[in-house]
Structures are given as C-alpha cells and as structure tokens.
Amino acid sequence: MRSHYCTQIDENDIGTEVTLCGWANSYRDHGGVIFIDLRDKSGLVQLVCDPVDSKEAHKVANEIRDEFVLIAKGKVRARGEGLENKNLKTGKIEVVVENLTVESKSEPLPFVINDPKVGEETRLKYRYLDLRKASSYETFRLRSKATIAARNILDANGFLEVETPILTKSTPEGARDYLVPSRVHGGEFYALPQSPQLFKQLLMVGGFDRYFQIAKCFRDEDLRADRQPEFTQIDLEMSFAGQEDVIKVSEDMLKAVFSACGISINIPFNRIPYHEAMEKYGSDKPDLRYDLAMVDVIDIFARCENEIFSNIAKNSHINRIKALKVPNGDNIFSKRQMKGFEDYVRKFGASGLGYFQLKEDGLKGPLAKFFSDADLEEIIKATDLKVGDVVFFGAGEKKLVLDYMGRFRIYLAELMEIIPDDVFEFVWVMDFPMFEVEDGRVKALHHPFTMPKDLDKENVEDIESIAYDIVLNGVELGGGSVRIHKPDIQEAVFKLLGISDEEAEEKFGFLVEALKYGAPPHAGLAFGLDRLMMLITKRSSIRDVIAFPKTQSAQCLLTQAPSPVANDQLRELSIRVRENKKA
RNA sequence: GCGGCGGUAGUUUAGUUGGUUAGAAUGCUGGCCUGUCACGCCGGAGGUCGCGAGUUCGAGUCUCGUCCGCCGCGCCA
C-alpha cells in the first residue's frame, strides 16, 4: 500500500509522489488549510490539505479526527522559510495531499497516547493503544533484536532450537503449578512448565548435544515489579560440557544481545563465590555498581563489656557481627534519619542497629562506652574509617544479620543516590551451596538436578554444588549448573532431600531411568529474558517489556482473564467448582 | 496470607472543620479561522466522588466492610 514510511522521506524526495499509511496523530484545522501529523511505526510527517491543491482531499480531511487510519497520496514539498519544525525528524518537508482515504475511523480515545501522566491501569485496559506510542515500539523492537541475536549466536555455536511441551507433568516441588484439566482423562491434570529443565536434560540424553529455546515458563506465585506469572527464558543446555563452557557461551551470548541493542559490554565478567557475596553484601545477587561492603568485626565485639554483643560474639560459627561503613555519613544523615534506619532493619527481624560516628576527637556513639580505647582503634582500622564516616553494626544469627544488613545496604545506596544508572555491572556468583535447611527441612538451593561437589560432608549445608548465577546490577538475570548425569548421585540427592523412593519414582522416575541409558555429562543455564530487557531498556517494571502483561493480582485488564467458564465446559472436564467467591 | 499508598468528568487532578449548584486543565462537541505543529478564539455538553453499609439534620470528606491498582513482606525447588 505504502511507498515510504513516514520518516523515510526527506529533502532528497522533494517533488516525489509518495503514498503514506498510518494514523492521524493530530490535526490542525485552520478553516482553509488543514494540517495532519501522520504517524506510523517510524514516526511523524506533516500532511497539508489545501483546497487549492485538492478540493476532494480537503473535504475528506475536514472529517478526520485523532487516530483515524489514513492512506495519503501526494507530493513531497519543502517547507517555506521559517516554517520548519526542528522537533520533527521530517520537519524540513511536508506532503501536499492530492488523494486522501479514511481507511478506519476512530472513536475518541480513552486517553491521549504518549501522555506520561495517564495511569497504568487505564493503559493496560487499552494496551493496544498504549503500544502505539513510540517508546513502546522501541522497547519491543529491542526485544526482537535481542532474541534474534541470541538465536543467531547460539545457532552459530551449534545449538539446536527445540520446543518442549507446554502441557506437561506437575512437579510441585518448587513453585506452584498452573494446572490444566484433561478432558480425555477425567480428574487428571497437566501442568504448565515452570521451566523446561527436565526436558532439556532428556534432549541431552537424546544426543542433541547442544539445545536452546526461547521458552515460556509459568509459575503460580504472587507477582512483583520484576515477576510475572508467565515469563520467558533463554534456556540452554550443553553436553560434554562443564561450568566454564556454559559461562563462555553465556558471556558471548550476552555480548551479542547487548550489542544488538546498541550497548557495548566487556567480557569476561567478574566472579564472586556465594559465601563471599553473602558475607560482604548480604545477598546472593549483589549490586556491585557501588561499594558499601560489610566487614566482620565479631572478634572485636567479643571483648566489649556489653553482654548482648559479647554473648553473640561467643558463637562465631552461627552468629555474625557485621560493620557497614557509610563514607561521610555523619554529614549526610540527620539524627532522625539514623533513628529511622533502626526501624527499617527491625522490619526484617533485627533487634537493633548500633552505630559509631568518627568525629575529630574519636569514635562516638551509644556503644562507645563498652569498648576499650584500643578496641575502638581496632574498629577504626578494620573499617578504614575517616572523620565524618558512620559505621553501622548488625549483630545476631548469621542468616538474619546478613539478610537485613544486605537490605540495609541497598536501602542506604538508594537513599544516598549513589547508584549509577548508566552502568552494567555483571557478576557471576559461584559455588552455591547444594542444600539449605529451613525449619529442619532440607531444600535444594537451585534444584535437585544440580551436581553436588562432594556429598560426603557431615553437615548437608556444607555441601557445595556446581551452580552459578549471573547477576546484573543486583538483579538475578539467570542461573545454571552442571547437572547430575549419574543415576546413583541423583538418587542420593533425592534421599538427602527427604524424597522417598516411591515419591522420586512417581515424580522423576522418567528422568532417573533416562540417566540409566547412557547420559552424557551436561550443564546449562537459563536467562530471564524479561528482566534482561527490563535492564537494557532501563524500565522499573517488567510489565513494560511484556506486550500483554498481567496486574499484581495476576489478572489481564484487557481480556478480563481469568474468568468463570460455563458449567458445560466444566462438566466435560469432570470439574465442579466448590465455591465462587466473586459471584 | 500480611503491611503501606491510592481510587473524584473520557484523562490528569483540586476539594479547607462534615454544610449552597463538586472546581480546574486537557480531551470531546458546535461555530469562526489559509501556515500551524501542544495552533488560536468564542460557546456547549460531560460526575453513581470505586462499590455497600453505618454515624449525622446533612458525607467526596468520618467509621466499618468490600473490590480494583501500585510498592513491598511471605512465597518464587
């Protein structure tokens, strides 16, 4: 239909006959001449409808309103002296319309496209209108470029793109499943995959050697700004490969993806062991765009005269006393703010938050009287304090202290606005523990198919795994591991997880059996594509990079899904709804 | 499941101590206008104050419940 996109024409096309298609972005009727800004995916160009040029076109133009769909034929003309619009890419020219067709009319819109003040709720209800704005198009253009770049580089590296089932087996070990009732097998259910994990391992057993997939995954858990119930992973797996092979491929892929989005990044990325990340930053996904690392001061506190602290310090295996230095904090924060910090950490289970300020005449603060002068000096040395600095202390059970001090670190960085927003700080977090014990229950930190380094440790929590996460600016971008390819190790891990033989057989029997028929050593990784695009496009919400996202209560404002279904439909599926809360 | 914030014309919002006809901008609409580009000028329409109950002579305003949206906690092998 069209000869050009709106912004494809410029001064070189003056005198050329063009046909343009798009939407009326705005119209300005001067009684005689009518101006229309025509918009397509490329941008805007001004149409001029003058009765002198075409009475017919001017008559049609008279009826046009915002967002009518138009096909305009006309000649490109230079704008007169002083009539240029510098804000428009096509501001030096205009199209004199000779023939104008209204292809679709439009009701007045529920909101003005591109108005930054319009709330998200309204925009999501009419998502197709919100997508008309230039920034939306740019977001999804980049997303497309990114996935194509990922496909190309993985293809070039010998990876095979394979689709795995969307209707699959429920494995409620991890997140809650979305269930799909079976009509043919009344009372039985498929589940939507939380990830293609088991199938990609089976593809390795199948000899495909290298697999990838841009895979939709589903988890029925509560939403967050960076979490949707359905999301996309770039999922990959390699045979006869280990951690270093996966890391190399991943770094190459990320470099290609960022490059496709016009961003240059440096590889290889830094690495940090899990335990170091936890001890220094209180997080397994540390944001390393800023410092604020924690220092261990439990030895110094062991000698203090405050019983609370010295008692905590007695058991340095299960407890921690961490110092977090804030350079110049004494001059940045008011007394009132310092008090507020304690309230902040209390929300995460802290019983208090100690602090010292280094003044001209030494360390000051409520705790100072419990320490000898020598130990005060030790604190200054351990945390490398300068006059004007503040140092905060968290003390208590290890996991608790690391958690709330880690959150406090982020809270402070945001408050002080020291986080650069133009930096991409990647880090591999390495050597994750295999297990974690919660309320006496042993859980897999990654998943039960992760290769442990050594199962013969006395304490299961000391068993490490060959697992690695890729973290970007404090966001978990992806995670992977070397997988178990030997049935006896897999069975041993199930046993440690407290999964009985019968249960393991029922849930994962097909995997264990597959491992018995010659499984190659294999390893892989999965990236969260949505989060990746969120970071690349610098958005604060994952919804911005998903074409049709759901709200925090997992509803689609556009389609009103989920919604009740007719009884006939339920009967066919052998389902009876117990109660209808919403009716 | 829990905590915080919010819901008033189509949209973005103002609304004082509970008190006259809920105000503005923008959008919409009618008219005028041949060089605008957020066009301009004159006029007009448009409100279940999220919903339901309660207190009160009187509720947008106070109380309770409920729904929806956002942020977070739990949850997310």
Side-chain angles (χ1 to χ4, degrees):
Chain A
M1 282 184 179
R2 58 165 61 89
S3 67
H4 296 75
Y5 282 101
C6 290
T7 62
Q8 266 179 338
I9 44 180
D10 57 25
E11 298 104 297
N12 299 321
D13 300 301
I14 288 166
T16 310
E17 178 94 12
V18 296
T19 305
L20 304 177
C21 305
W23 286 261
N25 195 65
S26 67
Y27 66 100
R28 297 175 290 281
D29 182 352
H30 287 259
V33 68
I34 296 171
F35 300 100
I36 299 164
D37 289 341
L38 189 71
R39 184 193 71 238
D40 62 22
K41 69 168 187 180
S42 75
L44 299 178
V45 71
Q46 175 164 280
L47 306 180
V48 188
C49 299
D50 193 320
V52 172
D53 299 305
S54 165
K55 267 210 169 87
E56 283 300 305
H58 182 264
K59 208 176 146 197
V60 175
N62 225 359
E63 304 303 315
I64 283 168
R65 295 292 179 270
D66 281 352
E67 299 303 315
F68 276 29
V69 176
L70 308 176
I71 300 175
K73 270 188 195 146
K75 274 208 178 74
V76 181
R77 173 169 83 186
R79 293 199 186 190
E81 192 78 14
L83 297 176
E84 296 176 355
N85 183 350
K86 282 177 187 147
N87 297 324
L88 230 51
K89 196 188 163 199
T90 54
K92 287 186 175 163
I93 51 117
E94 60 192 7
V95 174
V96 183
V97 178
E98 285 148 20
N99 191 293
L100 189 62
T101 312
V102 175
E103 198 57 50
S104 283
K105 295 185 175 186
S106 171
E107 302 271 308
L109 263 48
F111 61 92
V112 177
I113 290 168
N114 250 321
D115 183 347
K117 283 184 297 197
V118 177
E120 192 178 12
E121 198 173 348
T122 307
R123 290 185 291 110
L124 284 184
K125 187 171 173 192
Y126 302 95
R127 182 61 159 171
Y128 46 90
L129 298 179
D130 196 39
L131 293 176
R132 282 188 192 166
K133 66 189 182 193
S135 62
S136 294
Y137 185 79
E138 179 61 10
T139 297
F140 289 97
R141 189 187 70 83
L142 288 177
R143 187 170 171 136
S144 172
K145 291 290 174 202
T147 51
I148 289 169
R151 279 199 164 93
N152 286 341
I153 192 162
L154 290 170
D155 175 54
N157 278 285
F159 284 77
L160 200 64
E161 184 169 12
V162 182
E163 291 166 87
T164 53
I166 293 294
L167 295 178
T168 182
K169 191 176 171 63
S170 176
T171 52
E173 290 297 298
R176 276 178 273 245
D177 285 321
Y178 277 100
L179 294 178
V180 180
S182 163
R183 176 183 58 82
V184 180
H185 303 277
E188 300 189 354
F189 296 84
Y190 302 97
L192 305 182
Q194 297 180 25
S195 94
Q197 180 62 35
L198 296 176
F199 287 106
K200 66 175 176 176
Q201 290 191 241
L202 296 176
L203 290 173
M204 295 302 100
V205 180
F208 279 12
D209 193 64
R210 291 182 171 203
Y211 140 97
F212 85 96
Q213 182 178 194
I214 314 289
K216 263 290 176 81
C217 303
F218 307 85
R219 293 178 191 173
D220 186 7
E221 295 296 344
D222 285 349
L223 284 70
R224 291 287 187 278
D226 63 351
R227 257 165 45 189
Q228 282 274 304
E230 59 177 302
F231 60 99
T232 308
Q233 290 189 341
I234 303 176
D235 189 45
L236 58 94
E237 196 75 13
M238 312 164 71
S239 289
F240 302 105
Q243 172 173 288
E244 293 308 318
D245 302 293
V246 174
I247 285 177
K248 175 76 171 71
V249 163
S250 299
E251 288 175 343
D252 289 344
M253 195 206 78
L254 282 172
K255 191 169 175 63
V257 164
F258 273 76
S259 169
C261 296
I263 299 163
S264 168
I265 59 169
N266 294 322
I267 55 172
F269 305 141
N270 290 325
R271 301 183 186 191
I272 185 172
Y274 170 88
H275 283 294
E276 189 183 334
M278 294 305 291
E279 294 287 341
K280 280 170 87 167
Y281 305 107
S283 171
D284 61 357
K285 44 182 164 82
D287 190 343
L288 300 184
R289 287 175 296 174
Y290 53 94
D291 188 23
L292 296 182
M294 298 188 286
V295 177
D296 213 309
V297 288
I298 198 161
D299 295 343
I300 305 171
F301 274 69
R303 296 189 293 268
C304 84
E305 288 165 26
N306 182 304
E307 268 189 29
I308 296 171
F309 286 108
S310 58
N311 278 335
I312 289 171
K314 264 180 207 157
N315 204 335
S316 64
H317 184 65
I318 58 162
N319 291 333
R320 287 291 181 277
I321 299 181
K322 287 286 180 184
L324 179 58
K325 176 179 76 167
V326 180
N328 203 30
D330 199 18
N331 301 315
I332 298 172
F333 301 125
S334 63
K335 266 226 162 69
R336 200 175 171 171
Q337 278 177 306
M338 303 271 279
K339 225 41 228 126
F341 294 160
E342 187 156 354
D343 296 335
Y344 179 79
V345 295
R346 274 186 204 278
K347 281 192 290 194
F348 302 103
S351 42
L353 184 71
Y355 64 90
F356 285 120
Q357 298 133 301
L358 187 58
K359 308 268 190 192
E360 295 287 352
D361 55 343
L363 266 194
K364 303 291 168 194
L367 297 174
K369 60 184 175 210
F370 299 117
F371 290 85
S372 69
D373 287 349
D375 280 340
L376 288 176
E377 271 309 312
E378 281 291 311
I379 290 170
I380 293 172
K381 227 169 95 185
T383 53
D384 191 26
L385 282 192
K386 308 247 176 334
V387 173
D389 293 352
V390 177
V391 60
F392 296 94
F393 298 98
E397 192 270 322
K398 171 182 166 181
K399 210 174 151 188
L400 188 76
V401 169
L402 295 181
D403 177 64
Y404 74 71
M405 289 302 277
R407 291 175 192 269
F408 183 47
R409 170 179 178 264
I410 297 168
Y411 178 79
L412 283 174
E414 284 170 355
L415 193 70
M416 296 193 296
E417 296 176 359
I418 58 168
I419 309 175
D421 56 9
D422 54 348
V423 172
F424 291 100
E425 194 63 51
F426 290 90
V427 62
W428 287 104
V429 179
M430 314 291 296
D431 310 322
F432 273 75
M434 182 71 201
F435 303 103
E436 140 184 83
V437 179
E438 231 167 56
D439 307 321
R441 250 189 75 221
V442 180
K443 289 169 65 182
L445 209 71
H446 264 82
H447 54 61
F449 320 109
T450 302
M451 182 73 91
K453 286 188 180 169
D454 179 7
L455 281 178
D456 296 329
K457 290 266 169 74
E458 203 172 303
N459 183 354
V460 288
E461 284 182 288
D462 292 337
I463 300 172
E464 285 191 338
S465 65
I466 313 177
Y468 33 87
D469 275 4
I470 179 68
V471 173
L472 171 55
N473 294 354
V475 175
E476 184 191 328
L477 248 198
S481 61
V482 172
R483 326 295 185 187
I484 297 167
H485 67 286
K486 297 183 179 181
D488 54 323
I489 300 178
Q490 188 63 72
E491 278 164 357
V493 167
F494 284 149
K495 200 155 283 171
L496 282 167
L497 286 168
I499 301 175
S500 70
D501 289 351
E502 300 79 53
E503 200 182 346
E505 172 58 32
E506 205 281 310
K507 283 177 177 160
F508 309 114
F510 62 96
L511 175 74
V512 178
E513 190 178 14
L515 296 182
K516 290 174 181 167
Y517 295 113
H522 58 288
L525 181 136
F527 296 94
L529 176 63
D530 312 284
R531 284 183 185 174
L532 179 63
M533 294 318 300
M534 192 177 146
L535 289 161
I536 286 176
T537 59
K538 299 194 190 302
R539 303 307 180 93
S540 52
S541 164
I542 197 170
R543 294 181 298 277
D544 291 344
V545 301
I546 294 174
F548 299 100
K550 295 188 174 53
T551 65
Q552 196 171 43
S553 58
Q555 284 178 300
C556 173
L557 295 179
L558 178 56
T559 62
Q560 295 296 317
S563 51
V565 297
N567 274 326
D568 290 355
Q569 218 177 337
L570 289 176
R571 197 171 305 124
E572 217 171 30
L573 297 168
S574 315
I575 287 177
R576 186 181 299 139
V577 176
R578 223 163 64 189
E579 60 191 72
N580 195 341
K581 277 190 201 165
K582 282 191 180 170

